Amino acid sequence: MTLRIHAGPQLLAGLRESSSYPAHRDYFGEVPVADRDTLIQSLESVRGRGGAAFPFATKLRALGASNRPVVVVNWAEGEPASHKDAALARVRPHLVLDGVQIVARAYRAREVHIVVPKERPAVVDAVTAAAQQRRHPKRFKVHLADDRFVAGQARAVLELMAGRPNLPVTAWQPEAYSGHRGRPTLLSNAETWAHVALRMMRPDSPATTLLTMGGESAAPDVREVEIGTSWSKVLGSWSPDAPILVGGYHGTWTSVRRLGKLPVDHDTMRMAGVPLGAGVLLAPAPGECPMTMTARLARYLADHSAGRCGPCFNGLPAMAAAVSDLAHGRGEQARVEHFFDVLERRGACAHPDGTVRLVRSLVTAFPAEVAAHRAGGCSFAERRHDPGESVA
């Protein structure tokens, strides 16, 4: 795989600079020191980039007066089609660690854990090397996450850190109150930590987000765009009628025409029913259509569940089978829709909800496609396209 990283306005600016620590310091300057109140006030506008867009300052407030909380960098992208954190590991690992240093110093945290995906050795090597270049390398404890979709889920990460299977478990309190071994824990993904550093070092810079385009191809693109940019500008010459999956494997199907009317903005997109999610844009590969691609992803998500509760152990495989049957003209739409109410909000984690969102969005966005497959055909059969060329 060849990861194509495009220069951007903030996180991905100055890509010709070396990712070594001295070169990084020359480019970004010294790491600022801030007290807790200043930190919270300065980071009010920073939203998490892990999918939920949760306000980072809210996590800091939840820590309260806690001293020495556990700090965690979730660098494990369980989403196979996302390469944002991999791009940061390659060109901006120290910006992520700067964000950690700023917060850890303010909260007197001594324990920093970094969770990386073991199926991506280049990320493991880059992050480990960056940690070794820091002033106190022994404070960074690196953990290898399993090659499983749910391995990057927050509670799955905490389970891994505790030496248990890297699978999600039911939690009764947010990790800021009771996280690693019951201690207050501040956990965010790598891109979020990079934005924390950027906001503290360059407070007047515009907010941006990273996007992965063509994440299933042999040459995925990672781009940085300003929040508020029109999707029509991002997508360029993509065919208006082309189907596009926004948010990754737990994402939402829509058309390029509809997406192009929206800005790249978490709140606006969520209100429009097309959440940005993991910041991944996918289109059917040659030989696929939205129906067959959804069947493939539903099967993958069923296979990559924790398998610890009924919705994951029984429900997801059954829904995947129903979607596959419908895709091949031997099933009923009602059977697929039956699983929406059966699975949604009934799992021990959000994995069933995300999988239902994927399948439901297909039924909602492309009813003609579903009807064509139910009748043994395919409404997209005559309009195949190469998504890799469209978004490059």
Side-chain angles (χ1 to χ4, degrees), residues 205-259:
S205 60
T208 66
T209 191
L210 298 181
L211 303 173
T212 304
M213 309 177 78
E216 292 188 325
S217 71
D221 287 332
V222 172
R223 302 183 181 189
E224 182 186 14
V225 301
E226 288 191 25
I227 299 295
T229 302
S230 171
W231 274 109
S232 61
K233 181 178 179 180
V234 175
L235 295 172
S237 60
W238 188 290
S239 171
D241 295 323
I244 188 166
L245 181 60
V246 181
Y249 285 19
H250 274 173
T252 305
W253 281 107
T254 189
S255 66
V256 168
R257 186 187 308 278
R258 182 174 179 231
L259 184 62

Side-chain angles (χ1 to χ4, degrees), residues 60-101:
L60 293 180
R61 288 193 182 93
L63 292 174
S66 301
N67 278 325
R68 298 193 172 92
V70 179
V71 175
V72 183
V73 183
N74 187 0
W75 224 308
E77 290 181 299
E79 167 67 60
S82 179
H83 301 276
K84 302 185 303 177
D85 288 355
L88 288 174
R90 176 173 156 186
V91 300
R92 285 288 181 264
H94 288 292
L95 193 61
V96 177
L97 299 182
D98 285 349
V100 172
Q101 181 178 330

Side-chain angles (χ1 to χ4, degrees), residues 35-319:
D35 60 39
R36 299 183 188 189
D37 290 340
T38 301
L39 194 62
I40 292 173
Q41 183 178 2
S42 301
L43 298 177
E44 287 287 0
S45 63
V46 175
R47 306 279 289 274
R49 300 306 200 272
F54 194 81
F56 190 83
T58 301
K59 290 186 176 183
L60 293 180
R61 288 193 182 93
L63 292 174
S66 301
N67 278 325
R68 298 193 172 92
V70 179
V71 175
V72 183
V73 183
N74 187 0
W75 224 308
E77 290 181 299
E79 167 67 60
S82 179
H83 301 276
K84 302 185 303 177
D85 288 355
L88 288 174
R90 176 173 156 186
V91 300
R92 285 288 181 264
H94 288 292
L95 193 61
V96 177
L97 299 182
D98 285 349
V100 172
Q101 181 178 330
I102 293 168
V103 174
R105 181 182 290 165
Y107 282 82
R108 300 176 64 192
R110 293 182 176 178
E111 193 173 339
V112 177
H113 297 261
I114 305 176
V115 180
V116 291
K118 67 180 178 183
E119 75 275 11
R120 298 185 179 184
V123 173
V124 176
D125 293 344
V127 172
T128 302
Q132 290 298 316
Q133 294 178 50
R134 307 296 289 200
R135 183 175 179 181
H136 301 290
K138 292 184 179 180
R139 290 186 180 178
F140 297 98
K141 300 179 181 180
V142 178
H143 307 264
L144 301 181
D146 293 341
D147 183 8
R148 198 178 190 91
F149 187 86
V150 296
Q153 195 263 358
R155 285 289 161 176
V157 165
L158 296 180
E159 289 293 290
L160 172 69
M161 289 165 47
R164 295 187 288 268
N166 185 197
L167 297 171
V169 296
T170 302
W172 305 110
Q173 287 184 306
E175 54 268 15
Y177 296 106
S178 179
H180 181 51
R181 302 189 186 280
R183 295 170 58 192
T185 300
L186 183 61
L187 186 154
S188 285
N189 78 337
E191 186 186 353
T192 304
W193 285 111
H195 280 287
V196 167
L198 197 64
R199 180 58 54 187
M200 296 303 297
M201 293 191 287
R202 298 179 178 178
D204 296 327
S205 60
T208 66
T209 191
L210 298 181
L211 303 173
T212 304
M213 309 177 78
E216 292 188 325
S217 71
D221 287 332
V222 172
R223 302 183 181 189
E224 182 186 14
V225 301
E226 288 191 25
I227 299 295
T229 302
S230 171
W231 274 109
S232 61
K233 181 178 179 180
V234 175
L235 295 172
S237 60
W238 188 290
S239 171
D241 295 323
I244 188 166
L245 181 60
V246 181
Y249 285 19
H250 274 173
T252 305
W253 281 107
T254 189
S255 66
V256 168
R257 186 187 308 278
R258 182 174 179 231
L259 184 62
K261 297 177 181 179
L262 300 174
V264 181
D265 177 77
H266 288 279
D267 292 337
T268 305
M269 293 179 68
R270 183 181 292 112
M271 290 177 63
V274 191
L276 181 59
V280 175
L281 300 181
L282 289 170
E288 276 193 323
C289 67
M291 185 78 241
T292 56
M293 181 173 170
T294 300
R296 171 172 63 83
L297 296 185
R299 180 71 263 170
Y300 171 90
L301 293 169
D303 290 342
H304 279 245
S305 75
R308 287 179 158 179
C309 65
C312 277
F313 188 77
N314 295 312
L316 291 186
M319 184 173 70

